[in-house]
Amino acid sequence: MSALPSLGTPYANGPASGQSLPHESAAAQIAGAATYVDDILEVRGTLYAAPVLSKVAHGKLRGVDTQAALAMPGVRAVLLAADVPGHKMLAAFAGDEPVFAQDTVQFVGQVIGVVVADSMALARLAARKVLPDIEPLPAVLDVRTALAAQSFVLPPVAVRRGDAAQALARAPHTLQGTLEVGGQEHFYLEGQVAYALPQEQNQWLIHSSTQHPGEVQHWVAHALGLDNHAVRVECRRMGGGFGGKETQAGHLAVWAAVAAHTLKKPVKLRLDRDDDFMVTGKRHPFSYDYTVGFDDTGRLCGLKLQMLVNCGFSADLSGPVAERAIFHADNAYFLEDVDITSYRCKLNTQSHTAFRGFGGPQGMIVTEVILGDIARHLGLDPLAVRMRNLYSSEASGNGAQRDTTHYGMQVEGNILQAMLSKLEQSAQYQKRREAIFSWNKDQAVIKRGIAITPVKFGISFTATLFNQAGALVHVYLDGSVMVNHGGTEMGQGLHTKVAQIVADELGVPMQRVLSSASDTSKVPNASATAASAGTDLNGRAAQFAARHVRDNLAAFVGGLDGVGAGAVQFAGGQVITPATTRSFEAVVALAYANRIQLWSDGFYRTPKIHYDKATLSGRPFYYFAYGAACTEVAIDTLTGENRVLRVDILHDVGRSINPGLDIGQIEGGFVQGMGWLTTEELVWNAQGTLTTHAPSTYKIPTAGDVPAHFKVDLWPEPNTEDNVFGSKAVGEPPLMLAISVFEALRDAVANARNDGQALHLDAPATAERVLWAITNSSVAQRA
Ligand code: MTE
Ligand code: HPA
Ligand code: MOS
């Protein structure tokens, strides 16, 4: 692992921010003393709920036999759609998901109802004794069938620039291909969980492991038929979310709340791992068909791309996910004449949802695969082909600059040319490529491959309205500070960064600032903590809140000392004027005595962004985060087994607020992306049942899979846009650096085949698929 930059590195921009301070919960987490929803001390009388799942992918729900379950001692109730007191459809934006299945079931794992019992074990046991009567109907289980049947959750969308058909007709070379890229289970360590507690006067407290407390509040109120103000949602932290708790924590909370409402008791609902796999949606699997045109140098001249998006049975976040995929099909490259169509296919599976990258990875990977194939087709170095296609200030064919995306946004602050060159040098790419060449010549069984791939990831929610945030900063009489903001903590370190920002704004030591649990009664209408924008949005809102308090104090102290507020400084726990130096605590006490407001709110909305939903064009992103990775792999040509040997990353987080946390995000994101593209395989059988629903069959990377050489360096320049402390978002972009693993594996397969033929490898590149790709020609489709 990489050494952390030491204190006082060039990243430093304040006593707290810029430092690799430990995560605010690290010590508690290591000691097992950090509280997750299931650790909250239970209130007397708490009951437990477990879901009843459909075993049929599509069918008519004729009735539910609850007798056997209800006969079990300790079982309190079986609740079905008819028992939902408010709206029977969830408050999801498309209104296409029932709280509990009504009349029809739409996937294996759909929740038909919940059993409520005196213990979790009993509830789970009894749930299996509930017998739904389902008349099977034909199920749609793959995207091509869905496309043929026009089975969509949302209508198709397209982005076009120039004339792709004409460009392809004129192109010196063309290639056609297909690619299948699998989904991904979130595998958060803490599964989905909610604990619903009745309060006085039909008010409700929900503890939810959610990235979006505001949405849980809204959904619960909607299902209970109450006003939003009657529901308070709290989340101190999640044991990981990764997008899986952006919307889908809401379901659990609603189920628990409906049970609590009916029985007038606190109810906890915690899915076991297998049920979590069966019930909740995953990263969207994508299928692609493309035709690409290019010249002798590998420069792209036309691209026609069709994306078939497996959305599952409902829309959920599939609209914005599919759009982000379109917005990232360029990755780092100028696509001049391009035609991208996206079909948001409705299938009888779990409803696929946000997952780190949010469609971005699925947009980028197909273009990276295409560029790798072009390089091999022309006998060029794939890195050279990638560099040749980067956005730049050069003029394009029609005179315009090669710096505007296919959706009309100018790419500013583009550092990729320099970044790729620097990584090529520091990772000794050329030298190693030669070494790999001679290794492959000498070795019969183990073949190696290498690839450098870039990332350019757009930061902001594409839906402009979500790019707002609020915060509260309270200064107590002893000078200690509490910050609360609309974001949630899922392990990424948001609370730590926000506390660092507030500490520096008030000039107090970090230990004086505490970040409190996310709570809908403190900051209302907060957006999901998602799109990597947690710190950008909430950090800025908290900075503004702290600044208001500081301004109050500065005006007050300036008055005392007869100087302007601008001459008052806050640093090192002191408040300094040209006349006096006082401790922060002393100033707070004096200010209180003089009735000065010691707390404030802060509000931030991202500037500059706009976007036309109808044409999918505009400036959806405030800025781009950049990165590049160089990965070397080895494959065993007899078994298809493969290993990542060496990874060198250069990643852009602007001026880091916390390099330690940022490097952690880069390492974690990369390894998670590596899992997506190598070992994590979701297999649905012919009946539509997910057969890989536990760690025994679904393989996430382990510590042993982390490459022995894993070097992460941070790009040293600040954000060129005015973002909090010059930083950039970091949560999602590094996941896509793992596309270099896939491209290195394809390089190794090509080296193993050594037949000059195009190769075909779908993702994930399991041992089985790698072996298949080595031994089969690309023209044949995989069975
Ligand atoms: N890191 C950890 N440890 N756990 C998580 O669940 N989620 C990722 C990323 N990093 C996640 C994580 C996702 S999907 C997003 S969008 C961002 O964190 C959200 O947090 P941020 O906006 O504060 O970066
Ligand atoms: N990213 C992540 N989550 C989201 C987005 C997005 O762009 N839009 C809505 N939810
Ligand atoms: Mo992250 S997929 O935007 O929650």
mmCIF file of all heavy atoms in Angstrom, residues 211 242-244 246 354-358 490 529-532 732, ligand 3:
data_model
loop_
_atom_site.group_PDB
_atom_site.id
_atom_site.type_symbol
_atom_site.label_atom_id
_atom_site.label_comp_id
_atom_site.label_asym_id
_atom_site.label_seq_id
_atom_site.Cartn_x
_atom_site.Cartn_y
_atom_site.Cartn_z
ATOM 1 N N GLN A 211 -28.490 6.131 2.451
ATOM 2 C CA GLN A 211 -27.747 7.252 1.894
ATOM 3 C C GLN A 211 -28.664 8.465 1.719
ATOM 4 O O GLN A 211 -28.203 9.536 1.354
ATOM 5 C CB GLN A 211 -27.179 6.875 0.514
ATOM 6 C CG GLN A 211 -26.085 5.828 0.570
ATOM 7 C CD GLN A 211 -25.667 5.347 -0.809
ATOM 8 O OE1 GLN A 211 -25.768 4.164 -1.105
ATOM 9 N NE2 GLN A 211 -25.206 6.245 -1.664
ATOM 10 N N PHE A 242 -22.481 2.243 -1.174
ATOM 11 C CA PHE A 242 -22.009 2.053 -2.552
ATOM 12 C C PHE A 242 -23.104 2.299 -3.592
ATOM 13 O O PHE A 242 -23.025 1.791 -4.713
ATOM 14 C CB PHE A 242 -21.397 0.657 -2.731
ATOM 15 C CG PHE A 242 -20.305 0.361 -1.740
ATOM 16 C CD1 PHE A 242 -20.474 -0.608 -0.749
ATOM 17 C CD2 PHE A 242 -19.120 1.081 -1.762
ATOM 18 C CE1 PHE A 242 -19.474 -0.860 0.183
ATOM 19 C CE2 PHE A 242 -18.112 0.829 -0.835
ATOM 20 C CZ PHE A 242 -18.291 -0.139 0.144
ATOM 21 N N GLY A 243 -24.126 3.052 -3.219
ATOM 22 C CA GLY A 243 -25.249 3.309 -4.129
ATOM 23 C C GLY A 243 -26.443 2.421 -3.816
ATOM 24 O O GLY A 243 -27.577 2.763 -4.137
ATOM 25 N N GLY A 244 -26.191 1.286 -3.185
ATOM 26 C CA GLY A 244 -27.258 0.328 -2.903
ATOM 27 C C GLY A 244 -28.250 0.815 -1.868
ATOM 28 O O GLY A 244 -29.337 0.242 -1.725
ATOM 29 N N GLU A 246 -29.147 4.127 -1.841
ATOM 30 C CA GLU A 246 -29.613 5.449 -2.290
ATOM 31 C C GLU A 246 -31.138 5.478 -2.335
ATOM 32 O O GLU A 246 -31.751 6.387 -1.795
ATOM 33 C CB GLU A 246 -29.010 5.806 -3.654
ATOM 34 C CG GLU A 246 -29.437 7.210 -4.103
ATOM 35 C CD GLU A 246 -28.717 7.743 -5.337
ATOM 36 O OE1 GLU A 246 -27.619 7.273 -5.656
ATOM 37 O OE2 GLU A 246 -29.278 8.650 -5.984
ATOM 38 N N ALA A 354 -28.463 2.451 -8.286
ATOM 39 C CA ALA A 354 -27.173 3.137 -8.214
ATOM 40 C C ALA A 354 -26.090 2.177 -7.734
ATOM 41 O O ALA A 354 -26.323 1.359 -6.845
ATOM 42 C CB ALA A 354 -27.275 4.302 -7.228
ATOM 43 N N PHE A 355 -24.940 2.252 -8.324
ATOM 44 C CA PHE A 355 -23.749 1.563 -7.807
ATOM 45 C C PHE A 355 -22.551 2.382 -8.255
ATOM 46 O O PHE A 355 -22.390 2.639 -9.448
ATOM 47 C CB PHE A 355 -23.656 0.128 -8.337
ATOM 48 C CG PHE A 355 -22.657 -0.732 -7.576
ATOM 49 C CD1 PHE A 355 -23.002 -2.016 -7.207
ATOM 50 C CD2 PHE A 355 -21.406 -0.258 -7.213
ATOM 51 C CE1 PHE A 355 -22.104 -2.820 -6.494
ATOM 52 C CE2 PHE A 355 -20.512 -1.049 -6.503
ATOM 53 C CZ PHE A 355 -20.861 -2.333 -6.139
ATOM 54 N N ARG A 356 -21.743 2.763 -7.290
ATOM 55 C CA ARG A 356 -20.493 3.511 -7.498
ATOM 56 C C ARG A 356 -20.132 3.685 -8.981
ATOM 57 O O ARG A 356 -19.744 2.731 -9.649
ATOM 58 C CB ARG A 356 -19.371 2.789 -6.759
ATOM 59 C CG ARG A 356 -18.223 3.689 -6.341
ATOM 60 C CD ARG A 356 -17.310 2.933 -5.416
ATOM 61 N NE ARG A 356 -16.368 3.805 -4.745
ATOM 62 C CZ ARG A 356 -15.577 3.421 -3.756
ATOM 63 N NH1 ARG A 356 -15.628 2.173 -3.312
ATOM 64 N NH2 ARG A 356 -14.745 4.260 -3.186
ATOM 65 N N GLY A 357 -20.277 4.897 -9.437
ATOM 66 C CA GLY A 357 -20.030 5.210 -10.843
ATOM 67 C C GLY A 357 -21.320 5.505 -11.589
ATOM 68 O O GLY A 357 -21.346 6.262 -12.543
ATOM 69 N N PHE A 358 -22.417 4.830 -11.161
ATOM 70 C CA PHE A 358 -23.763 5.216 -11.558
ATOM 71 C C PHE A 358 -23.932 5.255 -13.081
ATOM 72 O O PHE A 358 -24.351 6.249 -13.639
ATOM 73 C CB PHE A 358 -24.072 6.593 -10.940
ATOM 74 C CG PHE A 358 -25.532 6.919 -10.799
ATOM 75 C CD1 PHE A 358 -26.289 6.379 -9.774
ATOM 76 C CD2 PHE A 358 -26.159 7.792 -11.682
ATOM 77 C CE1 PHE A 358 -27.632 6.708 -9.630
ATOM 78 C CE2 PHE A 358 -27.512 8.128 -11.539
ATOM 79 C CZ PHE A 358 -28.249 7.580 -10.512
ATOM 80 N N MET A 490 -20.893 6.723 5.118
ATOM 81 C CA MET A 490 -20.957 5.294 4.756
ATOM 82 C C MET A 490 -19.579 4.664 4.777
ATOM 83 O O MET A 490 -19.351 3.619 4.174
ATOM 84 C CB MET A 490 -21.659 5.127 3.411
ATOM 85 C CG MET A 490 -21.040 5.873 2.259
ATOM 86 S SD MET A 490 -22.144 5.951 0.804
ATOM 87 C CE MET A 490 -22.792 7.622 0.963
ATOM 88 N N THR A 529 -26.695 11.241 -0.414
ATOM 89 C CA THR A 529 -25.240 11.336 -0.448
ATOM 90 C C THR A 529 -24.804 10.408 -1.568
ATOM 91 O O THR A 529 -24.820 9.181 -1.426
ATOM 92 C CB THR A 529 -24.628 10.942 0.895
ATOM 93 O OG1 THR A 529 -25.226 11.760 1.880
ATOM 94 C CG2 THR A 529 -23.116 11.150 0.885
ATOM 95 N N ALA A 530 -24.489 10.993 -2.689
ATOM 96 C CA ALA A 530 -24.285 10.231 -3.919
ATOM 97 C C ALA A 530 -23.584 11.129 -4.917
ATOM 98 O O ALA A 530 -23.302 12.300 -4.629
ATOM 99 C CB ALA A 530 -25.630 9.760 -4.476
ATOM 100 N N ALA A 531 -23.327 10.540 -6.091
ATOM 101 C CA ALA A 531 -22.685 11.287 -7.168
ATOM 102 C C ALA A 531 -21.322 11.848 -6.728
ATOM 103 O O ALA A 531 -20.823 12.801 -7.335
ATOM 104 C CB ALA A 531 -23.604 12.405 -7.686
ATOM 105 N N SER A 532 -20.758 11.277 -5.674
ATOM 106 C CA SER A 532 -19.441 11.665 -5.146
ATOM 107 C C SER A 532 -19.419 13.089 -4.616
ATOM 108 O O SER A 532 -18.359 13.606 -4.266
ATOM 109 C CB SER A 532 -18.324 11.518 -6.200
ATOM 110 O OG SER A 532 -18.291 10.211 -6.685
ATOM 111 N N GLU A 732 -16.403 8.045 -6.418
ATOM 112 C CA GLU A 732 -16.660 7.096 -7.498
ATOM 113 C C GLU A 732 -15.556 6.976 -8.556
ATOM 114 O O GLU A 732 -15.290 5.875 -9.040
ATOM 115 C CB GLU A 732 -17.967 7.464 -8.209
ATOM 116 C CG GLU A 732 -19.199 7.332 -7.347
ATOM 117 C CD GLU A 732 -20.398 8.015 -7.985
ATOM 118 O OE1 GLU A 732 -20.433 9.261 -7.978
ATOM 119 O OE2 GLU A 732 -21.267 7.320 -8.505
HETATM 120 MO MO1 MOS B 3 -23.048 6.613 -5.414
HETATM 121 S S1 MOS B 3 -23.561 5.245 -6.867
HETATM 122 O O1 MOS B 3 -23.642 7.937 -6.422
HETATM 123 O O2 MOS B 3 -24.267 6.311 -4.299
#
